Amino acid sequence: MPNKKKTLLRIALYLILAYVPVYILCFAFSDKEGSLTSVLAGNTLMLYPAIAVIITRIVTREGFHNSFLGFGKRNSGKYYALAVLYPIALPYVSALLLHLFVVKNGNITDSAALSDGTSAVAMLLLSIVSGFAMAVHGFGEELGWRGYLTPKLEELMPAPAAVIVTGIIWALWHGPLLAYGYDFGRDYDFFPYGGFIAMIVMCVFWSAFLTWLTKRTNSVYPAALCHMLIDTVLNANLMPFTYNANGDKFELRTNDFWGQIISVFPMIIAAGAVSMVLMWRKKSSGENKKVLS
């Protein structure tokens, strides 16, 4: 069987195994508001991409070579550091943008986050610890999306296209939750289609950043750690900036949906765009060296 056909079959099997359990659980246990009524279901969703990889590699007899399961190449430490620092910076840059362009009454110094420095530091530390403690969930997704799907797609198309396609597939994997208001809520025009578009944009650019971390280290662990820290640190530390010291929510110039887009997306897009340029430049440099040799 031609290699391209083998790759397509492996991708198809992987996607079926990654998608079907998640869609079944999300529709079966949805509270119709964007969350799940089953704690067990919610805690296992992020593990199915990794389970899908394991089953696919066993069933297709591909084995586990090139699985990105090592802890990284030499000098990978700086990428692990970046995987931690980016999620920590994300809510604070987003908070600054929020107060510059979205908040109508008051300023960032009036926020609950800055009114009690001790609580703010405690919340940051707690969310970081939670991210490390729950890193297995990030591993569950990253072993699938960046450790398996993207490299497989790169066998069929140019690397930038593979990153974009992975981002779209990754976004649509969240479909059942988005359909009921997960991530972006329900109070915005064109619900839930606007949420799907926003998720696709977000996942494409984060796919680029997380792929870059994986390629630079030859390991899935920096991306897994970064993914989980984003999940735990962003919401916990951005939310206090949306309230004043009295606990009243700031009045916004737009709804919460666009507030998220305006405040959070610039740093997502910047990280993804820079990562794409760096990956493309490195690939071009490597191809030039091969030609010269």
Side-chain angles (χ1 to χ4, degrees):
M1 183 184 295
N3 287 337
K4 184 173 288 189
K5 286 188 177 180
K6 283 185 177 180
T7 299
L8 285 170
L9 285 174
R10 285 166 175 162
I11 290 172
L13 178 59
Y14 163 75
L15 290 178
I16 291 170
L17 294 172
Y19 262 69
V20 171
V22 170
Y23 270 58
I24 290 174
L25 289 173
C26 285
F27 281 121
F29 294 105
S30 175
D31 65 357
K32 306 298 188 292
E33 295 291 334
S35 299
L36 298 178
T37 58
S38 169
V39 175
L40 179 61
N43 286 335
T44 59
L45 291 184
M46 295 179 72
L47 303 179
Y48 287 107
I51 294 170
V53 170
I54 295 169
I55 295 174
T56 300
R57 285 185 176 275
I58 292 174
V59 170
T60 62
R61 299 182 180 179
E62 183 179 2
F64 290 87
H65 61 284
N66 299 324
S67 297
F68 298 95
L69 290 174
F71 284 100
K73 298 181 288 188
R74 187 178 180 182
N75 297 322
S76 291
K78 57 186 177 182
Y79 298 103
Y80 276 91
L82 182 60
V84 174
L85 293 175
Y86 173 80
I88 292 175
L90 181 59
Y92 299 104
V93 174
S94 299
L96 181 60
L97 293 174
L98 181 77
H99 280 270
L100 283 173
F101 301 110
V102 182
V103 170
K104 190 174 182 180
N105 62 324
N107 58 61
I108 196 168
T109 59
D110 300 323
S111 66
L114 297 185
S115 66
D116 187 347
T118 301
S119 296
V121 172
M123 179 61 73
L124 175 62
L125 293 177
L126 179 60
S127 60
I128 293 173
V129 171
S130 297
F132 275 91
M134 298 172 62
V136 65
H137 293 277
F139 172 79
E141 285 204 42
E142 293 308 312
L143 183 64
W145 308 126
R146 257 56 64 181
Y148 191 79
L149 181 59
T150 301
K152 282 287 176 283
L153 289 172
E154 286 178 339
E155 297 177 18
L156 306 174
M157 61 188 70
V163 169
I164 292 170
V165 172
T166 297
I168 294 171
I169 292 172
W170 180 27
L172 296 179
W173 179 78
H174 297 83
L177 293 176
L178 287 170
Y180 291 119
Y182 183 74
D183 272 317
F184 301 106
R186 302 167 64 89
D187 185 22
Y188 58 87
D189 293 335
F190 305 113
F191 170 82
Y193 308 108
F196 275 85
I197 294 171
M199 179 62 81
I200 288 171
V201 172
M202 183 171 71
C203 286
V204 164
F205 283 97
W206 263 339
S207 177
F209 179 57
L210 296 171
T211 298
W212 177 72
L213 286 176
T214 303
K215 286 180 175 290
R216 295 301 294 147
T217 60
N218 201 34
S219 172
V220 76
Y221 300 118
L225 181 59
C226 185
H227 185 153
M228 203 63 241
L229 283 172
I230 288 171
D231 285 355
T232 59
V233 173
L234 177 57
N235 288 332
N237 294 279
L238 179 58
M239 185 66 69
F241 285 99
T242 65
Y243 291 85
N244 64 28
N246 296 323
D248 299 320
K249 190 170 183 178
F250 285 116
E251 184 181 353
L252 306 181
R253 293 186 173 91
T254 184
N255 57 30
D256 288 336
F257 174 77
W258 282 107
Q260 290 184 63
I261 301 297
I262 294 169
S263 61
V264 179
F265 273 45
M267 197 169 173
I268 297 174
I269 293 171
V274 170
S275 298
M276 190 71 80
V277 170
L278 292 174
M279 283 190 288
W280 183 259
R281 181 181 296 173
K282 184 171 180 61
K283 183 180 179 181
S284 300
S285 176
E287 289 174 349
N288 290 336
K289 287 181 180 178
K290 287 181 181 179
V291 171
L292 293 173
S293 61

